[in-house]
Amino acid sequence: MSEISLHLQAMKNSRPTIFEMKVRKLQPCPFCGNANISINNEDDFYWCQCSICVAEGPVGDSRLSAISRWQERN
């Protein structure tokens, strides 16, 4: 795969799935209010991240765990 293809695939994989969006609507960023939140992963760790201010949520061991932890914040 080309570098551009890998980048596009990574961007696609970081978006919440339809199932995740229907199960839980992600809360906006607590710092800037942005509603565009991505789900990132590295080495079987997942976390939610704001696309504007790059604030990160707590790390989880699955996508749904990371989403739950993002939702639980104050």
Side-chain angles (χ1 to χ4, degrees):
M1 280 186 147
S2 73
E3 191 172 321
I4 293 172
S5 296
L6 290 172
H7 178 70
L8 291 174
Q9 185 65 35
M11 286 178 58
K12 179 181 175 187
N13 290 340
S14 71
R15 294 186 191 135
T17 64
I18 298 293
F19 172 76
E20 291 166 343
M21 290 177 74
K22 285 186 177 184
V23 169
R24 296 192 173 136
K25 183 175 179 186
L26 290 174
Q27 293 182 24
C29 176
F31 300 103
C32 71
N34 177 38
N36 189 8
I37 307 300
S38 65
I39 303 167
N40 300 318
N41 74 307
E42 185 176 318
D43 297 331
D44 296 328
F45 294 105
Y46 296 82
W47 66 93
C48 295
Q49 185 174 29
C50 174
S51 65
I52 299 293
C53 72
V54 196
E56 296 179 345
V59 174
D61 59 0
S62 69
R63 287 173 65 93
L64 288 177
S65 172
I67 291 170
S68 294
R69 298 188 76 196
W70 176 264
Q71 302 292 65
E72 293 171 355
R73 75 204 187 318
N74 291 330

